[in-house]
Amino acid sequence: GTGDYFGPIVVTASFVSVDNISKIESLGVRDSKKITDEKILSIAPKLIKMVPYVSYTLSPSDYNRVGITNMNKVKAILHNKVLNLLLKKESFEYDYIVVDQFSLVSKYFEHIKEAPEKVTNIDFTTHAEDKCLSVAVSSIISRYVFLGEMKKMSEKYGMTVPKGAGAQVDIFGKEFVQKFGEEEIRTK
């Protein structure tokens, strides 16, 4: 959801054991950007039952309240948070931790320097969703959570809240402000 005007930022860490690889692959898991939302809504609940994971959702109002305007810093902090939470959740024997690289590695660690606990033994990989099953699983779960939050928002306001950004979202934003006021849009 980092490119969306409405909706939260969702970050997920998951653990894929060797025992689950064939079951996960049989579901058609791959880069969430290459799977339709309908397919994500179908396979994510199965993944959630199959793998240990932790998701963290940062609402737009929380994002605005934190006041960090550098999206890579926000993502680094949230990635570090879910990795810590997942590693505390259960005891895993893992070969490596992979993060889809969204910034320079040195910048990532600079962004999390104030975190009380840091996961540092990370393999940063570009296009990791295509190369690492756990990253693909995490992205699908994140998208699933994001879609659920967008659905809740649409139901709350009785309007289909659009995903993404651009002219369609701008038009919706104007209609939203006319109907609910400027203060309400700031809390989204």
Side-chain angles (χ1 to χ4, degrees), residues 6-100:
F6 292 96
I9 299 166
V10 182
V11 178
T12 301
S14 66
F15 173 74
V16 173
S17 69
V18 173
D19 299 341
N20 277 339
I21 291 174
S22 63
K23 288 186 265 182
I24 290 169
E25 287 176 338
S26 73
L27 294 173
V29 170
R30 60 181 192 269
D31 183 341
S32 66
K33 292 181 283 306
K34 298 177 182 175
I35 303 175
T36 65
D37 286 347
E38 291 74 26
K39 177 84 172 173
I40 286 173
L41 292 169
S42 167
I43 65 176
K46 296 170 187 165
L47 292 172
I48 286 169
K49 290 178 183 173
M50 211 180 293
V51 301
Y53 76 97
V54 171
S55 290
Y56 186 83
T57 304
L58 183 68
S59 70
S61 60
D62 289 340
Y63 170 79
N64 291 331
R65 190 173 55 250
V66 170
I68 301 171
T69 57
N70 181 326
M71 185 56 68
N72 283 341
K73 183 172 184 174
V74 171
K75 289 173 21 177
I77 291 167
L78 295 180
H79 276 74
N80 185 64
K81 182 180 191 76
V82 295
L83 288 170
N84 273 295
L85 290 170
L86 181 62
L87 292 172
K88 287 179 183 176
K89 186 176 182 177
E90 294 184 39
S91 179
F92 300 109
E93 286 192 30
Y94 59 90
D95 295 325
Y96 47 90
I97 295 172
V98 178
V99 169
D100 192 11

Side-chain angles (χ1 to χ4, degrees), residues 92-163:
F92 300 109
E93 286 192 30
Y94 59 90
D95 295 325
Y96 47 90
I97 295 172
V98 178
V99 169
D100 192 11
Q101 186 171 343
F102 53 84
S103 72
L104 295 172
V105 174
S106 60
K107 280 295 204 185
Y108 177 90
F109 288 113
E110 183 180 315
H111 292 321
I112 66 166
K113 69 183 175 195
E114 295 176 18
E117 297 177 289
K118 297 171 197 67
V119 175
T120 59
N121 57 330
I122 299 171
D123 290 327
F124 292 91
T125 305
T126 56
H127 307 292
E129 291 180 71
D130 288 327
K131 301 172 186 172
C132 181
L133 199 54
S134 63
V135 176
V137 166
S138 295
S139 72
I140 289 169
I141 293 172
S142 287
R143 184 70 178 173
Y144 177 75
V145 171
F146 174 83
L147 292 170
E149 292 299 313
M150 294 297 285
K151 181 179 178 185
K152 284 184 212 172
M153 195 182 321
S154 294
E155 289 170 353
K156 177 180 177 179
Y157 293 105
M159 303 170 75
T160 301
V161 179
K163 297 181 289 272

